[in-house]
Amino acid sequence: MQRMSRGQPDQHCAEPRGELAIRVMAMPADTNPMGHIFGGWIMSMMDAAGKMTAATCASCQVVTAAVSNISFLQPVNVGDTVCCYTDVVNVGNTSIALDVEVWVRRQGHGERLKVTEAQFTFVAVDEEGAPRPVAAAECRYN
Ligand SMILES: CC(C)(COP(=O)(O)OP(=O)(O)OC[C@H]1O[C@@H](n2cnc3c(N)ncnc32)[C@H](O)[C@@H]1OP(=O)(O)O)[C@@H](O)C(=O)NCCC(=O)NCCS
């Protein structure tokens, strides 16, 4: 295993860690009964962001193997700009582990605020869906 962390997780960090993978506006169709953005929509964005980064890293298709330590820190509101950042922290034989952070700008402006974070593991797979090795040296993670 090759450790690639660029810093320990810091819940009070004022800046996103990693690369911007998705930037999108939160829409009314994705609200929950409370009027906030549905957590499942946020998780979907995080999964897609992590998957794109992992697939680029692995230079092949990847599948989501695990999600852990997901924390919803603040609600997301309709009209917020939602940004997903991905940070590759470990490349194994066939797996890629990433920290994914979601930050928003309320109504598209002002300071960035971290709203959600989690750890994802993706596995590189071949055409049959079987795990295949990842060339760590070729993994572009920054
Ligand atoms: C992910 C999957 C390919 C792993 O297949 P498998 O035969 O169990 O593979 P292995 O046991 O050889 O493990 C492969 C790698 O995945 C890692 N892994 C497997 N399950 C894991 C888990 N729950 N958490 C973290 N890592 C995991 C292993 O540590 C291993 O990493 P390494 O090669 O870097 O050491 C298989 O379980 C699968 O296809 N799952 C369904 C994926 C899916 O449908 N995702 C949602 C849609 S994308």
Side-chain angles (χ1 to χ4, degrees), residues 54-131:
T56 301
C57 179
S59 298
C60 68
Q61 56 187 336
V62 299
V63 294
T64 312
V67 185
S68 60
N69 298 327
I70 188 160
S71 297
F72 295 95
L73 308 170
Q74 301 278 343
V76 176
N77 302 320
V78 171
D80 290 351
T81 298
V82 178
C83 299
C84 296
Y85 293 84
T86 57
D87 188 22
V88 175
V89 295
N90 193 70
V91 177
N93 180 33
T94 66
S95 66
I96 299 166
L98 306 94
D99 289 340
V100 181
E101 295 183 354
V102 184
W103 291 66
V104 301
R105 289 189 196 277
R106 296 294 189 204
Q107 302 306 303
H109 60 85
E111 290 186 4
R112 281 185 298 209
L113 176 67
K114 183 161 70 172
V115 294
T116 311
E117 59 187 5
Q119 295 159 7
F120 282 73
T121 301
F122 295 88
V123 175
V125 293
D126 62 20
E127 294 303 318
E128 281 73 47

Side-chain angles (χ1 to χ4, degrees), residues 32-66:
N32 63 21
M34 299 270 299
H36 297 134
I37 295 300
F38 184 49
W41 181 84
I42 298 169
M43 292 168 69
S44 173
M45 290 296 117
M46 297 172 82
D47 189 32
K51 187 166 190 166
M52 287 190 283
T53 298
T56 301
C57 179
S59 298
C60 68
Q61 56 187 336
V62 299
V63 294
T64 312

